[in-house]
Amino acid sequence: MNSRRAWLIWGIAVFAYVLAVMQRSTLGVSGVQAQERFAVSATVLSTLAVVQIAVYAGLQVPVGVLLDRVGPRRLVLTGAVLLALGQLVVAMSGTIGLAILGRVLVGAGDAMTFISVVRLLPMWFTGPVLPQISQWTGNLGQLGQIASAFPFTILLRSLGWSWAYATAAAVSLVGATLVAFVVRNGPIAIRTGAIPVAGGRHDALGTFLQAVRRPGTQLGFWSHFVTQSSGTVFTLLWGVPMLERGLGYSPDAAAGLLTVIVVVGFIVGPILGLLCARFPLRRSNLVLGIVVALGVVWTAVLLWPHHPPVWLMVLLVVVLGIGGPGSLIGFDFARTFNPIGALGSANGIVNVGGFLAAFVMMFGVGEILDIVHRATGASTYSWDAFRAAMTIQYVVIGIGVIMLVRARRRTRALLHREEGIQVGPLWVALIVRWRRTGRIGRRSVQ
């Protein structure tokens, strides 16, 4: 365990995830070109992203159940092939219908990748390094956003739609080849018999239902729901149109802001991993703190008179960048409160959270943009239209926060009942720690 081979396999698996993120986010940087290519409204354009996210979210549970039966290697490989096929269909599409079919395949391939890579980690690694590796996995995957924001965008401008998407498809085939030759299920799976699950469909369904019923899994779901969704909506579809059309930023400036999200994730992710390992009973406080930061900054952006200043937009992408690694705390909850044989199902359930919220918000933003356009006659992508459309986040994430608090209460009650661990309010813990630190300080002086 934690061997050189483990690190090599992890590296190739993460590379496959990087490519999945790149394919996922290519639409976000080509949204303007897509509207011009297919001559569609904002609502119809949102369908491209919404269908992709719907397929992704809808497949998380069946993929999670399948993951516990066949192991991550096969699913990472299948996902890479589907991603390549989907991008090839998009490259050849001349109508919105064919493009939607391509994005359906992209969503299906993407659905198999991340939770499979996360499922691979406890098969090859043990000890306190696990939360940190989970954070690094998620953060390194976001390099795919940089790949879509710069190399893919350059290809899109210089070679055009078809060649850019065909090149993206070819890169995924390279990833599939590496996975086929290098990635293997880990020794823990072989030693414990967790892969494959003994028995038939009823055993797999039972494993899934048990994971659903665990309060810790539900806490992970709602943590992912409230932290990841805002950044997903921004990076996968509406961020670039909002920046370029709504606020008048150049394409390079918009791509630069998307890159800030990734850079912030690299900085914050390891810190969150260390905090989760150091304070495992306070992980939900980290999640709620991130949500508060997102709410405060979005409110400032949307209420700012006229156009918000550049520094405020930079602050916005910074907090969106924190939300990405923050959502990985949800998988840490799944790992903590589920046996290894149920981790595929639990991770699938958690991963539905953020993408379900993003699905609702993406479609809602498109609908509101068209409603404002019809009501006022202003441009579909005017800043005032975006100002109204982005308020849908408050409703969706607000519901998620309520459900998160309820799941946390049930999880803490279970900890108290089964393990005798009582988690008090954060402010009480801070006061106790402050007093204890003060006593230690006085003793050292004496």
Side-chain angles (χ1 to χ4, degrees), residues 153-231:
T153 301
I154 292 171
L155 287 175
L156 192 65
R157 292 180 196 169
S158 58
L159 300 179
W161 179 279
S162 296
W163 278 107
Y165 274 95
T167 302
V171 173
S172 267
L173 286 179
V174 173
T177 303
L178 289 173
V179 170
F181 281 100
V182 177
V183 174
R184 295 292 182 271
N185 296 329
I188 284 183
I190 298 170
R191 191 163 60 243
T192 64
I195 300 295
V197 171
R201 299 177 191 172
H202 294 295
D203 295 313
L205 180 61
T207 299
F208 165 72
L209 292 177
Q210 289 173 11
V212 170
R213 285 194 290 265
R214 291 187 182 100
T217 306
Q218 298 168 19
L219 180 58
F221 174 94
W222 293 112
S223 297
H224 199 263
F225 186 100
V226 299
T227 49
Q228 194 212 38
S229 50
S230 184

Side-chain angles (χ1 to χ4, degrees), residues 66-362:
L66 188 62
L67 190 54
D68 287 328
R69 290 182 60 80
V70 304
R73 177 183 178 273
R74 293 184 188 178
L75 294 185
V76 175
L77 179 58
T78 304
V81 172
L82 285 175
L83 286 163
L85 182 59
Q87 291 292 67
L88 190 60
V89 171
V90 174
M92 297 185 297
S93 63
T95 62
I96 188 69
L98 193 59
I100 289 175
L101 173 61
R103 297 311 285 186
V104 166
L105 293 172
V106 169
D110 193 13
M112 297 181 181
T113 307
F114 178 66
I115 62 171
S116 298
V117 175
V118 171
R119 180 69 170 85
L120 200 64
L121 300 184
M123 293 181 178
W124 286 100
F125 297 94
T126 58
V129 74
L130 258 176
Q132 297 177 53
I133 294 178
S134 297
Q135 284 289 342
W136 276 112
T137 300
N139 294 332
L140 288 169
Q142 301 317 303
L143 288 173
Q145 285 192 27
I146 296 180
S148 64
F150 288 104
F152 179 80
T153 301
I154 292 171
L155 287 175
L156 192 65
R157 292 180 196 169
S158 58
L159 300 179
W161 179 279
S162 296
W163 278 107
Y165 274 95
T167 302
V171 173
S172 267
L173 286 179
V174 173
T177 303
L178 289 173
V179 170
F181 281 100
V182 177
V183 174
R184 295 292 182 271
N185 296 329
I188 284 183
I190 298 170
R191 191 163 60 243
T192 64
I195 300 295
V197 171
R201 299 177 191 172
H202 294 295
D203 295 313
L205 180 61
T207 299
F208 165 72
L209 292 177
Q210 289 173 11
V212 170
R213 285 194 290 265
R214 291 187 182 100
T217 306
Q218 298 168 19
L219 180 58
F221 174 94
W222 293 112
S223 297
H224 199 263
F225 186 100
V226 299
T227 49
Q228 194 212 38
S229 50
S230 184
T232 298
V233 171
F234 191 87
T235 56
L236 289 196
L237 185 61
W238 292 121
V240 169
M242 187 184 87
L243 293 170
E244 292 185 15
R245 297 289 182 87
L247 295 174
Y249 284 56
S250 68
D252 289 339
L257 286 175
L258 292 180
T259 302
V260 170
I261 295 177
V262 180
V263 173
V264 170
F266 271 105
I267 297 171
V268 174
I271 297 173
L272 289 179
L274 289 171
L275 290 174
C276 286
R278 178 69 178 84
F279 305 104
L281 300 180
R282 297 297 172 185
R283 290 171 290 182
S284 60
N285 295 113
L286 293 174
V287 171
L288 291 172
I290 291 169
V291 173
V292 170
L294 284 166
V296 169
V297 178
W298 266 116
T299 300
V301 168
L302 299 179
L303 293 182
W304 196 275
H306 307 298
H307 287 185
V310 174
W311 66 264
L312 185 55
M313 294 307 298
V314 172
L315 183 60
L316 174 63
V317 295
V318 166
V319 295
L320 290 175
I322 296 173
S327 69
L328 298 177
I329 297 174
F331 296 99
D332 207 41
F333 284 127
R335 181 183 59 81
T336 303
F337 295 102
N338 285 275
I340 188 170
L343 275 184
S345 297
N347 287 338
I349 294 164
V350 169
N351 209 27
V352 169
F355 289 97
L356 175 62
F359 166 85
V360 174
M361 290 195 292
M362 276 182 183

